[in-house]
Amino acid sequence: MQIYLPIAETSVNAFTLLGVGGGVGVLSGMFGVGGGFLITPLLFFIGVPPTVAVATGVNQVVASSISGVLAHLKRKTVDLPMGWVLLAGGLIGSIIGIWFFNLMSRLGQIDLIVQLSYVIFLGIIGAMMFNESLRALLRTRSGTAPRRKRHTHTWVHNLPLKMKFRASGLYISVFPPLLVGVGVGILAAIMGVGGGFILVPAMIYLLGMPTKVVIGTSLFQVTFVAAFTTMMHAITNQTVDVMLAVFLIIGGVIGAQIGTRVGLKLGAEQLRILLALLVLAVCGKIAFDLLWPPAELYSISVSGGV
């Protein structure tokens, strides 16, 4: 069943869109990521222009994140004060990212910038995830317990304007989470991602938050930043395709609920390795498309010569 996407100016199979949204929603529920880092490149692959994929892909991130964060709020695994600080930074970052996105659009370089960003970030994140997951899997099979790192004070703990985050058991400056939020907001605007794949590791390793509240707090921030970014893209670029968004959202909401249940039953190490391989595969496909000459070459020339 083909449907016409008016903003993207292309026809796509409706079940393909539902499948893309549902698959990414499952990953959102299992890993606490909005899923934009996969849904946007997947939209590239089915023929949606990068500018429309970025602006519209964030809609699905909002839907799947809302679904996930509601589940975590019921379990009381969301650090709301930390979430509000991260959100403040995220909104600032989103405004900066939208400005850069518009600048690159005017220069005609936005498609290249978006795809290069995905190759770089997915390559780095996928390689790190695969390395860490493989080590954890080998430790589990050999029966050796991972070494526990002693909690030591770092530069993060010496910064001013400290604030108590009771759910996380932290007393740190607001600057590190604020700066993490700014970085995630910039990525959300340029790449059409929620930023969970950067936010979750930063919350664990940089801020020192306990794992039990990281996923819920991440989804809380991702929900609002993604919603704000979508609104800004709609106002400034008019590249949000509502028809495309509806199909992605329907699939995403259903998939997130399935993913939350599946994630509780399967082994964490195996899941992380599979996600890492998927991320690396998507990265490789985008890099291949950038480097391989297209089937039909076009050239632009001025008649009469200057």
Side-chain angles (χ1 to χ4, degrees):
M1 185 176 71
Q2 295 290 115
I3 59 165
Y4 180 71
L5 305 175
I7 304 298
E9 297 181 343
T10 186
S11 294
V12 183
N13 187 285
F15 295 109
T16 301
L17 292 180
L18 288 172
V20 168
V24 175
V26 169
L27 294 176
S28 172
M30 286 195 291
F31 298 102
V33 293
F37 71 105
L38 284 175
I39 201 163
T40 307
L42 288 176
L43 290 176
F44 298 166
F45 301 157
I46 61 174
V48 177
T51 48
V52 178
V54 167
T56 310
V58 187
N59 282 276
Q60 193 272 347
V61 173
V62 175
S64 59
S65 297
I66 287 175
S67 183
V69 80
L70 289 175
H72 282 281
L73 283 169
K74 286 181 182 178
R75 298 173 192 156
K76 297 183 179 178
T77 51
V78 179
D79 187 333
L80 287 174
M82 178 65 80
W84 288 117
V85 174
L86 289 167
L87 175 58
L91 296 180
I92 296 168
S94 179
I95 292 169
I96 296 169
I98 291 289
W99 170 82
F100 182 76
F101 189 95
N102 291 339
L103 176 64
M104 290 297 103
S105 292
R106 287 195 297 271
L107 295 174
Q109 299 297 320
I110 191 60
D111 289 5
L112 177 63
I113 292 293
V114 168
Q115 290 175 312
L116 276 178
S117 299
Y118 270 99
V119 170
I120 293 167
F121 276 97
L122 292 186
I124 294 171
I125 297 299
M128 290 173 63
M129 284 173 58
F130 183 77
N131 182 48
E132 185 181 348
S133 302
L134 191 60
R135 285 183 178 181
L137 187 62
L138 292 173
R139 277 199 304 265
T140 304
R141 288 188 175 179
S142 62
T144 57
R147 292 180 182 176
R148 287 191 176 183
K149 293 183 180 179
R150 291 183 179 179
H151 181 72
T152 56
H153 282 269
T154 61
W155 61 272
V156 172
H157 297 85
N158 298 325
L159 295 174
L161 287 178
K162 291 188 176 181
M163 180 176 172
K164 276 189 177 180
F165 300 100
R166 297 186 185 280
S168 300
L170 295 176
Y171 181 59
I172 59 171
S173 169
V174 296
F175 288 119
L178 200 63
L179 290 174
V180 168
V182 169
V184 169
I186 292 172
L187 290 179
I190 296 173
M191 297 173 65
V193 298
F197 67 106
I198 295 289
L199 188 57
V200 170
M203 291 164 78
I204 294 172
Y205 299 113
L206 179 63
L207 305 181
M209 291 177 64
T211 309
K212 66 176 182 178
V213 296
V214 163
I215 293 178
T217 309
S218 165
L219 288 173
F220 176 82
Q221 193 260 13
V222 163
T223 299
F224 289 100
V225 170
F228 179 76
T229 303
T230 298
M231 182 183 71
M232 291 297 291
H233 273 300
I235 293 170
T236 60
N237 304 315
Q238 293 84 46
T239 49
V240 177
D241 194 309
V242 177
M243 184 67 72
L244 174 59
V246 167
F247 279 88
L248 294 176
I249 287 170
I250 292 170
V253 170
I254 297 169
Q257 295 301 319
I258 297 170
T260 304
R261 291 180 174 86
V262 172
L264 297 173
K265 296 179 181 179
L266 299 179
E269 291 82 8
Q270 290 91 336
L271 283 173
R272 290 206 314 246
I273 283 182
L274 288 174
L275 180 62
L277 290 172
L278 180 59
V279 168
L280 289 172
V282 172
C283 170
K285 177 67 169 68
I286 298 173
F288 178 81
D289 289 345
L290 278 174
L291 297 172
W292 192 258
E296 297 179 5
L297 296 175
Y298 295 89
S299 63
I300 300 173
S301 60
V302 180
S303 60
V306 178

